[in-house]
Amino acid sequence: MSEGSARVLFVPVSGPRGMGEYARSLAIAKAAVRRWPRLYVHFVLSAAAPYAAETPFPSTFLPSSPTFHIPEVNALIRGLKPSLVVFDNAGRTAQIDAAHACGARIIFISSRRRQRRKAFRLRWMRFIDEHWIACPELIAGSLTPIERFKLRLSGRPRVRFLDTVLPETDGSAAEEFLSRLQLHAGDYVLIVPGSGTPHPGAEDAPEIFATVAQRLARRGCPVVLVGVTEWLEAGSGLHLVPRIPMDELCGLICGARMVISNGGDTLLQALACRRACVGVPVARDQYRRVARCADNGLIAAARLDVRAIESAAIGLLENDDARGELEARIARHRMDNAMEMVLGALGTLSGVI
């Protein structure tokens, strides 16, 4: 199949809260189009997602996450006739069936235990070409005996663990971004609460992170707070940055003295960039990830509480040896960027290589 005739449909979970799946799919899509400029990419998203209107690719918008709209997604698949469909934590059996029926190859990405279990249903395994577990094996847990048995029985799909997926960053662009903030690499603390929208049971999370940012700035430490601007104003060492593309965020991560992050994909990105990090779970699926990272000595964990987060941050900021030891342990565990592997698989399955 030629590059110009290959079509890739991305179906990430999307909605008014969270954006990890969309951000990952978007980073992969952008990297793929940079490599194969004539590749056609299409997204299907919830119209309620705050980032929906900013999507730089042709998109189909639905009232809520694609998983809940079987007829609409199936009709899109039949009309678009994609060569590859990438389901990111999304999808129902009927949608998997529809993709297979139209001849599409299928990648399923799971970053939660429930979605991982779904991908190991024998019926799904018959049609899925690759299953990417979007978390390091150290944290997600190795394949279980039952999972290995099912793989031997079905002979498919190929299963890969993705430590994280980072876009290519432009060093000069990162320097220019920091220059506009009047900051230098290694000087600041980067705080990334997540999408900036509250999660059930953690409705006050954005305000908690904002308060921590204020307190650290008052102690004389430059702080860059991403995605939260409603409760405070910039000034006195506090720099407010709106939600930004992943490549720009990765540039900020790489230049940070330390990162305070939610327990989602940003945490893994910080580890891949070898940055000392305070991890704070703000959604149900993040508690286990934060705990596993802390148990392996990769992060300082804190509960969603102003004093707890501030204390953990100060403990690393004021102790260069502790911060250095943390970064050395991260380096030994080799949390790697899986983007090249992802592009290789996407190119092969879509037919462009």
Side-chain angles (χ1 to χ4, degrees):
M1 181 179 293
S2 69
E3 178 184 320
S5 60
R7 293 169 173 260
V8 181
L9 175 63
F10 284 90
V11 189
V13 163
S14 59
R17 290 186 295 270
M19 63 177 295
E21 290 86 359
Y22 169 74
R24 176 169 49 237
S25 290
L26 183 63
I28 294 170
K30 284 183 172 180
V33 170
R34 277 197 296 270
R35 183 159 298 185
W36 303 291
R38 296 176 61 209
L39 178 70
Y40 179 83
V41 168
H42 194 99
F43 273 73
V44 55
L45 300 168
S46 167
Y51 46 78
E54 305 167 4
T55 306
F57 294 102
S59 302
T60 296
F61 299 112
L62 301 172
S64 59
S65 195
T67 299
F68 302 113
H69 298 278
I70 295 174
E72 293 88 344
V73 172
N74 288 359
L76 173 64
I77 290 172
R78 288 191 295 268
L80 185 64
K81 293 182 173 56
S83 46
L84 172 65
V85 181
V86 181
F87 293 95
D88 196 330
N89 273 334
R92 294 284 177 88
T93 299
Q95 294 166 338
I96 299 287
D97 290 348
H100 176 75
C102 82
R105 309 298 291 273
I106 299 171
I107 294 171
F108 186 84
I109 306 176
S110 68
S111 61
R112 304 186 183 99
R113 284 182 288 179
R114 182 170 179 269
Q115 278 69 30
R116 175 168 167 172
R117 287 195 299 269
K118 288 173 66 176
F120 276 98
R121 294 172 178 172
L122 288 174
R123 182 172 178 181
W124 282 36
M125 294 172 76
R126 289 168 49 208
F127 296 151
I128 295 173
D129 294 280
E130 299 223 5
H131 174 194
W132 298 343
I133 300 173
C135 198
E137 187 173 358
L138 173 74
I139 299 168
S142 301
L143 296 182
T144 68
I146 291 176
E147 290 171 341
R148 290 196 296 270
F149 171 75
K150 287 183 174 182
L151 283 172
R152 288 195 300 270
L153 185 66
S154 64
R156 55 181 301 138
R158 181 170 185 174
V159 177
R160 310 182 198 240
F161 288 88
L162 309 186
D163 287 356
T164 191
V165 178
L166 299 177
E168 182 179 353
T169 56
D170 184 336
S172 61
E175 289 182 9
E176 181 182 347
F177 192 92
L178 289 176
S179 178
R180 292 201 303 269
L181 298 176
Q182 296 183 322
L183 293 173
H184 299 282
D187 286 347
Y188 60 92
V189 173
L190 177 66
I191 302 182
V192 188
S195 64
T197 54
H199 289 268
E203 288 79 7
D204 55 350
E207 189 170 2
I208 288 173
F209 279 97
T211 302
V212 171
Q214 285 180 312
R215 291 191 176 193
L216 292 179
R218 288 176 189 146
R219 297 177 70 95
C221 178
V223 175
V224 177
L225 176 63
V226 177
V228 178
T229 58
E230 290 85 352
W231 294 278
L232 65 174
E233 296 181 359
S236 301
L238 179 59
H239 305 269
L240 304 181
V241 175
R243 188 172 62 243
I244 54 177
M246 190 186 291
D247 53 347
E248 295 182 14
L249 178 61
C250 287
L252 285 177
I253 291 173
C254 290
R257 183 180 179 189
M258 186 187 74
V259 178
I260 300 174
S261 168
N262 68 87
D265 287 342
T266 306
L267 179 68
L268 301 179
Q269 292 157 7
L271 294 177
C273 294
R274 311 292 194 260
R275 295 295 86 195
C277 187
V278 176
V280 185
V282 299
R284 286 184 301 175
D285 62 298
Q286 297 180 6
Y287 285 88
R288 184 173 182 269
R289 178 180 293 177
V290 169
R292 291 294 292 269
C293 287
D295 290 345
N296 284 280
L298 301 178
I299 65 169
R303 68 183 186 279
L304 187 59
D305 173 83
V306 171
R307 290 184 179 180
I309 300 171
E310 182 183 22
S311 176
I314 292 171
L316 289 177
L317 283 172
E318 296 184 350
N319 190 329
D320 292 342
D321 290 339
R323 196 169 66 255
E325 289 173 7
L326 196 61
E327 291 175 351
R329 282 196 295 273
I330 295 169
R332 288 196 296 271
H333 278 86
R334 290 187 56 81
M335 201 79 70
D336 293 325
N337 181 9
M339 182 63 87
E340 277 303 312
M341 182 276 291
V342 162
L343 291 179
L346 185 145
T348 299
L349 291 176
S350 68
V352 296
I353 58 174

